[in-house]
């Protein structure tokens, strides 16, 4: 966690690449991935510290799945990063600051997004509406018939 907090300082105060967010992935007591916020430096709204650390660990370990790994992040993960942890099959997450802390000190909206996702999709600030389902399901039907389809 000390390394994750150090990386949050690098991002937000030293290199000024984005907000004060840093993260590391640890396996068997060793750091196997690191990341910090690069949203501003790369104009990439998805480049959060946790996503960076998961990408780094997955590349280094040669797998999209990080079972047996623990994520240490300087802040409570936003919904996107929490989703990334689920997709990566991370075992456990430790976080330092809370969503409330980053809203209070940095005006980040993580807490608001969690409230948004609790609403029905059509009632959110960004409405999500089903459209052309039948056409898209045909692709899935073909995919489901492939004997050697990729699965992860
Ligand atoms: Zn995030």
């Amino acid at each position: 966690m000390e390394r994750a907090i150090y990386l949050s300082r690098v991002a937000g105060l030293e290199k000024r690449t984005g907000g004060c967010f840093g993260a590391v992935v640890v396996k068997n007591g060793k750091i196997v991935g690191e990341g910090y916020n690069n949203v501003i430096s790369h104009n990439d709204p998805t480049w959060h510290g946790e996503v960076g650390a998961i990408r780094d660990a997955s590349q280094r370990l040669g797998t999209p799945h990080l079972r047996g790994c623990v994520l240490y992040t300087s802040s409570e993960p936003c919904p996107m990063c929490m989703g990334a942890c689920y997709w990566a099959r991370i075992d456990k997450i430790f976080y330092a600051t809370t969503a409330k802390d980053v809203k209070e000190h940095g005006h980040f909206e993580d807490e608001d997004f969690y409230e948004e996702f609790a609403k029905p999709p059509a009632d959110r600030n960004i409405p999500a509406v089903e459209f052309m389902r039948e056409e898209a399901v045909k692709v899935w039907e073909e995919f489901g018939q492939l004997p050697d389809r990729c699965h992860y």
Side-chain angles (χ1 to χ4, degrees):
M1 185 60 88
E2 288 177 0
R3 179 70 179 167
I5 293 170
Y6 166 74
L7 292 170
S8 78
R9 175 173 288 281
V10 170
L13 301 177
E14 294 177 12
K15 292 187 178 178
R16 313 282 302 261
T17 57
C20 305
F21 301 101
V24 299
V25 174
V26 172
K27 185 171 190 178
N28 299 325
K30 290 185 177 172
I31 292 175
V32 294
E34 290 190 342
Y36 56 78
N37 190 291
N38 271 291
V39 168
I40 299 303
S41 58
H42 285 76
N43 293 314
D44 182 347
T46 68
W47 199 330
H48 290 190
E50 298 93 327
V51 167
I54 288 169
R55 286 178 181 160
D56 187 29
S58 293
Q59 293 298 307
R60 285 203 229 174
L61 298 175
T63 174
H65 292 150
L66 300 175
R67 290 186 180 88
C69 293
V70 176
L71 180 84
Y72 292 84
T73 176
S74 65
S75 290
E76 186 176 1
C78 74
M80 175 185 73
C81 291
M82 189 59 81
C85 289
Y86 273 83
W87 283 117
R89 317 296 192 231
I90 291 275
D91 279 12
K92 190 171 185 176
I93 300 162
F94 289 98
Y95 61 88
T97 60
T98 64
K100 196 177 214 46
D101 293 328
V102 300
K103 186 174 187 177
E104 180 183 344
H105 298 289
H107 305 290
F108 285 94
E109 302 161 288
D110 305 63
E111 195 175 36
D112 303 331
F113 292 165
Y114 272 111
E115 289 174 11
E116 273 286 298
F117 292 140
K119 298 177 188 171
D123 295 344
R124 297 173 188 156
N125 287 334
I126 301 174
V129 180
E130 186 183 298
F131 182 61
M132 293 183 70
R133 179 171 176 257
E134 284 180 32
E135 289 81 350
V137 165
K138 286 177 187 161
V139 177
W140 277 103
E141 287 170 348
E142 283 184 50
F143 183 78
Q145 298 301 315
L146 289 176
D148 59 345
R149 66 183 179 271
C150 70
H151 185 73
Y152 54 89

